[in-house]
Amino acid sequence: MKEKVGIAIHGGAGTILKSRMTAEKETLYLNALREALNAGWNHLKSGGSSLDAVELAVRELEDNPHFNAGKGSVFTNEGKHEMDASIMDGKALKAGCVSMLSRVRNPVSLARKIMECSEFVYLSGKGAESFAKEMNLEFESEEYFFSEFRYRQLQDSMRENVIQLDHSERENEKKFGTVGAVALDMNGNLAAATSTGGMTNKKFGRIGDSAIIGAGTYANNKTCAVSCTGHGEYFIRGVTAYDLSALMEYKGMNIRTASAEVINKLSTLGGDGGLIAIDNDANIEMPFNSEGMYRASVSYKSDTLVAIYCD
């Protein structure tokens, strides 16, 4: 393949240690990442758009109960689900964002409908779900989103009076539950998408970086497409996704140097997590400052990579 195409996906970052992962669970995650990657990659290879590719990949992850987005979303303090997502088109710098969804099956698809079928960028809560109904998007019952594993997380968090970013088996262990995808298509267009179920036991309608353009998601054909995963407050404060693009556009950095720079800045702020990024030549970077990050990538110039740990 000579056309410059590529895609990268992530399924969250954090304290992900091989010593605590069973072979069966590791295989499950690797296969899930590979399936989501292939959904987007096969579309790109057939001449499809980067927007379609990132939506397809993220929908696969949202439909998988093992990732904290869509079906696998964690519970809030009130025992409900509040899902967030965003998508961005690097060609026109158009974007769609949504937060505090409770029953829309695929939040990323609603974010795209907001971008393409409304005059708005960001909708939330009941209003967003009303718009989703007008767009004939698929809704699910509360039972669809219920997971005994996620419910136990909520009970543990409430008992300890803590907010968890994802499953925590021991003190100081953190996993950041977000999924995302970035892609470059044959027409040179970049796109990015991110989706999350938020924090276990979160209160007060808290919203993280996944729904915020420039913080957790950004795409610009001049530079790159970015999707982040981690402690959202730090990505918001660092405007991490846009910062990477700005370093490339205004300082002339390449994607590797710029990616390392923003992760270093994240560490300086005290935040944990990582990101995936692709530039307009299909160079892909997937840096993180945690013990692991569920990730996968492939491009016209690189073989398929599916990985979890630092090595």
Side-chain angles (χ1 to χ4, degrees), residues 18-40:
K18 190 174 182 65
S19 61
R20 303 181 67 83
M21 183 84 72
T22 65
E24 292 78 12
K25 191 173 183 180
E26 182 178 289
T27 298
L28 183 154
Y29 276 111
L30 292 173
N31 287 341
L33 290 168
R34 190 172 286 107
E35 288 174 8
L37 184 75
N38 287 338

Side-chain angles (χ1 to χ4, degrees), residues 7-60:
I7 185 171
I9 67 169
H10 70 77
T15 309
I16 306 168
L17 304 174
K18 190 174 182 65
S19 61
R20 303 181 67 83
M21 183 84 72
T22 65
E24 292 78 12
K25 191 173 183 180
E26 182 178 289
T27 298
L28 183 154
Y29 276 111
L30 292 173
N31 287 341
L33 290 168
R34 190 172 286 107
E35 288 174 8
L37 184 75
N38 287 338
W41 178 236
N42 290 335
H43 188 75
L44 290 171
K45 288 192 299 180
S46 66
S49 74
S50 55
L51 275 169
D52 287 343
V54 297
E55 182 184 3
L56 285 166
V58 170
R59 282 175 62 99
E60 284 284 330

